[in-house]
Amino acid sequence: MELIPCLLSLLNKIWTLLDWRCNYLRHGSGLNRLFSDGQFLKMIHYVVRFCETQLRRVCTDGFTASRSCEPYIVTIAQLSLPLISELLQCIHGLWYPPLAYSLSEVLKKAKCLDPCSQFEHTDKLLWIDNGEGSQEKDTRQLIEGIRESGYNVIGLCASIEGAFSWLLNRSVFATFSKYLASLEFRHLSKLIKLTVIPLVKNCPRKFWKEWVGSFLQQLLIHCEDILHLAWSKLLYHGCAGARYYFGKLSGEAGRNKTLEMGTLLEITREVSGLLEVIALTEQSRALEDKEAISFHDSMPSISFLRYLVINDCFGDLRMSLFGYFVDDISTAKAIPFCRALVYLAVVSNDARLKIFILDNLLPCLIQCLDNELPCSIQRLKSELTSCGSNNATKDLTVLCHEIYDYMLNCGHMQTEALIGGDKNVDDFENSFEVWLGRQKEDFRAKACSAAAKEVSLGYPWKWELENECQRYLSVYIDMLLEVDANSEFAAVSFSTTSMKHVL
């Protein structure tokens, strides 16, 4: 029982020595020597994996003050966090281009995803037989094993009472932030699933500012950016963008494309899962209030979700964050978050949420719900549905109905305008169906107009992009008007009034 704490204490001392840091942690050649040592990797993997199994056993059984092993587990957690933080930062650094340039060929190959097999994490300690497989394969498995166990340790520590102060004091979040932009999709998926989601579930209110400011905001904005690059190009050009984040694949083209699609779906599902946890955690906290009648009524004035929105933690908040609802698994996870945003828009009257709901979320929903609409979303959705995914149409319809209620109750449009002035529609439920049908008809008319343009222009015309530009045109003009009105920019004032006449 005493061996591991002593070993962790010794390793922490070694990793803080100036000579050690200068020789191994501050440049690519040092990392190359460190991670090329098979015995070092096996020893580190054993230590980190042991810490993970001990923490999982206790956290799974329930961590209580009466447990006789509590001091031992707390000691393991406190001693393992500094070492694991350093290890994960080094592993992340292997993908940082200035450091990756000087790595050996073995390490470069070990970083690549094996197209024939994927690393599977089990509850058993990983033992590598030197006589089996190549050196790069063994190195790949050990590095990924250390990474996954390290993520798990931090996630498990989050469930221990008082652990958040340890995580902040030991700069765990700074470790994740340093090389975040260099992590591939598969790494981000594991980080979100094993570490970030447990942290969101267990973060006390008093640590919101530090936790969000040190890492969570950066992660959410980064995911929004790279998912938009990947999904928008896949949707409108047939191939996924953000090529770096898929990693270097060495298999045949067809297999690589399948792996890429699977990787993109995996990261989208994990991000949607994170957003679902934010929404459902918010809801469960609200429902703890016995006076709360519904989630809508009980949305706290200072909630975690509202805190994230106020601090602009979701970036541009585009539908690519949810994969445009083309994957039913991601959609099922994303819908609770979207519903929470609609509720928050009602109670807060936030202008950014209003724009997102009316100009992004609603048009995407209409396109997803109309199976006869010729659009990129339906095309990609049908391709994925053929693989056996579940049908989320009912949930999307419910979400669309709630947006209809939002527009009606918040005065964005009158009932007659919503249903197209049909005075014969008296039933509220039927009014939604009539409105939804008219929305579908409008979109089909735009799609038919685009088809005519394709014939006259001689090349594909993406009517969805044209529609998006038209929706944002008034916003752009308002921005130009605001610049014109600012005396600081009087010398370079735009002729916005003339521009309106031209447009």
Side-chain angles (χ1 to χ4, degrees):
M1 294 287 285
E2 297 297 329
L3 177 60
I4 293 298
C6 291
L7 181 58
L8 287 172
S9 180
L10 179 60
L11 287 172
N12 282 325
K13 290 180 181 179
I14 293 175
W15 280 65
T16 57
L17 292 174
L18 181 61
D19 288 346
W20 176 272
R21 301 186 70 83
C22 291
N23 290 331
Y24 295 107
L25 308 184
R26 295 183 177 176
H27 46 79
S29 59
L31 290 177
N32 186 71
R33 294 198 303 272
L34 198 62
F35 286 93
S36 295
D37 188 332
Q39 293 302 317
F40 166 81
L41 287 178
K42 290 179 183 179
M43 184 270 291
I44 288 296
H45 181 273
Y46 176 84
V47 172
V48 177
R49 192 71 183 90
F50 180 85
C51 294
E52 179 192 11
T53 54
Q54 293 297 303
L55 285 168
R56 180 188 283 116
R57 177 177 57 82
V58 174
C59 293
T60 302
D61 294 341
F63 195 92
T64 63
S66 61
R67 292 187 65 91
S68 59
C69 63
E70 178 183 353
Y72 170 72
I73 292 300
V74 170
T75 299
I76 290 292
Q78 290 178 325
L79 289 175
S80 64
L81 284 175
L83 174 64
I84 288 175
S85 296
E86 291 285 357
L87 281 169
L88 290 176
Q89 183 165 299
C90 289
I91 290 176
H92 292 178
L94 296 176
W95 276 261
Y96 182 56
L99 298 178
Y101 179 76
S102 57
L103 298 180
S104 67
E105 288 301 316
V106 171
L107 271 180
K108 289 180 180 178
K109 292 180 180 178
K111 288 167 47 183
C112 299
L113 177 66
D114 187 350
C116 299
S117 63
Q118 296 186 16
F119 176 80
E120 294 183 358
H121 194 62
T122 64
D123 292 334
K124 298 179 181 179
L125 294 177
L126 179 65
W127 295 99
I128 300 296
D129 186 349
N130 291 330
E132 295 182 2
S134 62
Q135 183 181 356
E136 54 264 23
K137 180 180 179 181
D138 296 348
T139 302
R140 178 189 301 117
Q141 290 183 315
L142 287 167
I143 289 176
E144 291 307 307
I146 294 170
R147 179 203 296 275
E148 192 163 336
S149 292
Y151 290 165
N152 247 329
V153 167
I154 297 174
L156 291 168
C157 283
S159 65
I160 301 176
E161 185 177 356
F164 243 85
S165 59
W166 311 342
L167 297 171
L168 290 168
N169 293 337
R170 283 156 178 78
S171 302
V172 172
F173 302 141
T175 295
F176 294 146
S177 297
K178 187 171 183 178
Y179 298 122
L180 178 64
S182 301
L183 299 185
E184 296 174 6
F185 281 141
R186 57 193 172 107
H187 306 142
L188 284 171
S189 296
K190 291 180 181 179
L191 177 62
I192 291 171
K193 179 180 180 179
L194 301 177
T195 302
V196 179
I197 288 180
L199 289 172
V200 169
K201 289 181 177 179
N202 295 281
C203 178
R205 181 186 294 266
K206 63 181 179 180
F207 292 122
W208 282 0
K209 183 176 181 180
E210 292 179 88
W211 156 228
V212 171
S214 61
F215 178 63
L216 185 59
Q217 180 182 35
Q218 181 184 357
L219 173 69
L220 290 171
I221 293 176
H222 176 62
C223 288
E224 204 282 336
D225 287 340
I226 59 179
L227 284 176
H228 178 71
L229 290 174
W231 276 108
S232 60
K233 189 171 182 182
L234 177 64
L235 193 66
Y236 298 118
H237 300 283
C239 60
R243 304 297 304 170
Y244 166 82
Y245 295 101
F246 291 96
K248 185 178 180 181
L249 301 176
S250 56
E252 59 183 20
R255 176 176 291 179
N256 287 349
K257 186 175 182 180
T258 301
L259 284 173
E260 288 177 355
M261 192 67 245
T263 300
L264 182 55
L265 288 175
E266 181 185 21
I267 180 62
T268 306
R269 291 167 181 174
E270 294 301 339
V271 170
S272 295
L274 170 59
L275 299 176
E276 178 187 33
V277 168
I278 291 174
L280 295 183
T281 300
E282 191 69 49
Q283 183 175 2
S284 63
R285 288 174 179 172
L287 293 176
E288 290 175 0
D289 184 355
K290 295 181 180 180
E291 297 179 357
I293 299 175
S294 68
F295 179 41
H296 177 284
D297 297 327
S298 62
M299 176 74 75
S301 58
I302 302 177
S303 65
F304 188 52
L305 179 59
R306 174 174 282 185
Y307 184 84
L308 294 176
V309 171
I310 290 175
N311 288 277
D312 199 22
C313 293
F314 299 107
D316 293 328
L317 195 57
R318 292 162 289 195
M319 294 309 299
S320 49
L321 186 62
F322 321 113
Y324 295 97
F325 292 150
V326 298
D327 173 51
D328 287 350
I329 297 176
S330 300
T331 299
K333 294 180 178 181
I335 283 178
F337 177 76
C338 293
R339 294 184 65 191
L341 288 181
V342 174
Y343 292 147
L344 184 56
V346 173
V347 299
S348 67
N349 198 29
D350 187 284
R352 290 173 299 177
L353 289 181
K354 174 184 174 182
I355 292 174
F356 167 72
I357 292 169
L358 300 182
D359 292 345
N360 287 270
L361 180 55
L362 181 57
C364 185
L365 283 172
I366 302 299
Q367 294 179 57
C368 286
L369 291 174
D370 189 353
N371 295 329
E372 298 179 8
L373 181 67
C375 65
S376 300
I377 287 179
Q378 281 294 333
R379 174 189 56 78
L380 189 54
K381 186 178 179 181
S382 63
E383 292 177 3
L384 295 177
T385 303
S386 64
C387 298
S389 60
N390 297 323
N391 192 346
T393 302
K394 182 177 178 180
D395 292 333
L396 291 174
T397 303
V398 172
L399 177 59
C400 192
H401 202 321
E402 292 181 352
I403 296 176
Y404 173 83
D405 296 343
Y406 163 73
M407 293 189 296
L408 193 63
N409 296 330
C410 294
H412 294 302
M413 297 181 71
Q414 299 298 318
T415 306
E416 292 80 4
L418 284 172
I419 62 176
D422 191 343
K423 298 181 180 180
N424 296 322
V425 180
D426 297 322
D427 183 72
F428 184 73
E429 290 296 328
N430 288 338
S431 68
F432 166 71
E433 296 296 336
V434 172
W435 169 82
L436 181 58
R438 292 185 183 278
Q439 297 301 310
K440 292 180 179 180
E441 290 176 2
D442 290 343
F443 273 76
R444 291 174 191 172
K446 292 175 182 178
C448 292
S449 175
K453 289 183 179 180
E454 287 187 12
V455 174
S456 61
L457 295 174
Y459 57 82
W461 183 263
K462 302 295 183 181
W463 68 269
E464 303 101 311
L465 295 177
E466 180 185 11
N467 189 52
E468 183 176 346
C469 290
Q470 290 176 350
R471 293 199 309 269
Y472 283 105
L473 189 57
S474 61
V475 177
Y476 296 149
I477 292 177
D478 289 342
M479 292 172 60
L480 292 176
L481 284 171
E482 184 177 349
V483 173
D484 279 343
N486 193 329
S487 58
E488 181 181 351
F489 297 96
V492 288
S493 178
F494 293 89
S495 301
T496 312
T497 304
S498 301
M499 183 180 178
K500 276 189 172 181
H501 289 299
V502 173
L503 297 173

